[in-house]
Amino acid sequence: MNQSLTANHLDVGVGTGFYLEHCTFPATDVRLGILDLNSNSLEVTAKRASRYTPEVYQADILQPLPEQSQKFDSVSLNYLLHCLPGNLETKATLFDHLAPWLNPGATISGSTILQAGVPRSFVAKRLMHVYNQKQIFSNASDNLDALQSQLSSRYTDVELEVIGCVALFRAHCNPH
């Protein structure tokens, strides 16, 4: 997803910082923001991405975010949605919470694991069942149509690609 990155980027749901460590920004002078609820994830990711001197934001993306004076030109949400509680309609409030942090024309991209409406192997079905029971995942009702609907209602130029049970998405923050 390097094509979705700008030199003014926000990564939400940072995990371990793996993607930030392996991505290629389009410039050497990078402004990088990292946002997550988990302070441990933020600490690990800040260390992995230390060459960019990241701005660290600890916040719950499902709640309104604090004001941000300097907005971002791109945002990524990789493997986040399927871990958030609720269905895609309630999870999609995160897009509304991000809106004040993004410049007009910003690119939003990400990936999520879907449960319904996509092919799933036996192993994927078993793993998702176990992860949903343990509340590691919350994607029992997540499906491609709901994701498309939530993205299309907020963004333009929505692109969705499904690989197995993973949906990759990209869109732009332009007025409809």
Side-chain angles (χ1 to χ4, degrees):
M1 293 206 131
N2 285 333
Q3 69 271 23
S4 299
L5 295 175
T6 67
N8 181 23
H9 183 74
L10 175 66
D11 191 56
V12 179
V14 297
T16 64
F18 175 86
Y19 292 105
L20 292 175
E21 187 173 31
H22 292 90
C23 71
T24 304
F25 286 98
T28 55
D29 185 24
V30 173
R31 174 181 176 233
L32 174 64
I34 57 174
L35 187 149
D36 203 297
L37 180 60
N38 186 304
S39 61
N40 294 327
S41 293
L42 287 168
E43 184 179 329
V44 167
T45 299
K47 284 180 185 170
R48 280 184 106 160
S50 63
R51 68 187 173 280
Y52 303 117
T53 316
E55 299 168 19
V56 178
Y57 304 99
Q58 186 174 5
D60 181 350
I61 194 65
L62 294 177
Q63 300 298 319
L65 297 172
E67 283 196 36
Q68 175 59 265
S69 59
Q70 255 191 306
K71 297 179 185 219
F72 293 94
D73 295 324
S74 60
V75 60
S76 56
L77 306 120
N78 285 301
Y79 292 105
L80 173 67
L81 288 171
H82 61 268
C83 295
L84 298 175
N87 59 33
L88 275 171
E89 289 74 25
T90 58
K91 295 175 193 187
T93 60
L94 73 85
F95 298 126
D96 302 324
H97 298 153
L98 281 171
W101 283 40
L102 302 176
N103 283 315
T107 300
I108 185 163
S109 63
S111 53
T112 189
I113 300 173
L114 299 174
Q115 177 89 250
V118 293
R120 294 183 304 140
S121 68
F122 174 77
V123 173
K125 288 177 187 177
R126 290 293 306 143
L127 271 170
M128 279 189 233
H129 176 74
V130 169
Y131 285 2
N132 275 286
Q133 279 189 323
K134 292 184 175 190
Q135 298 180 338
I136 296 167
F137 283 9
S138 179
N139 72 342
S141 66
D142 291 2
N143 65 74
L144 189 60
D145 290 339
L147 180 60
Q148 174 77 49
S149 174
Q150 293 304 316
L151 291 169
S152 295
S153 70
R154 292 169 173 86
Y155 305 117
T156 60
D157 305 318
V158 174
E159 299 172 26
L160 273 168
E161 180 182 359
V162 177
I163 301 172
C165 56
V166 175
L168 306 174
F169 59 88
R170 180 178 167 173
H172 292 99
C173 303
N174 294 316
H176 277 100

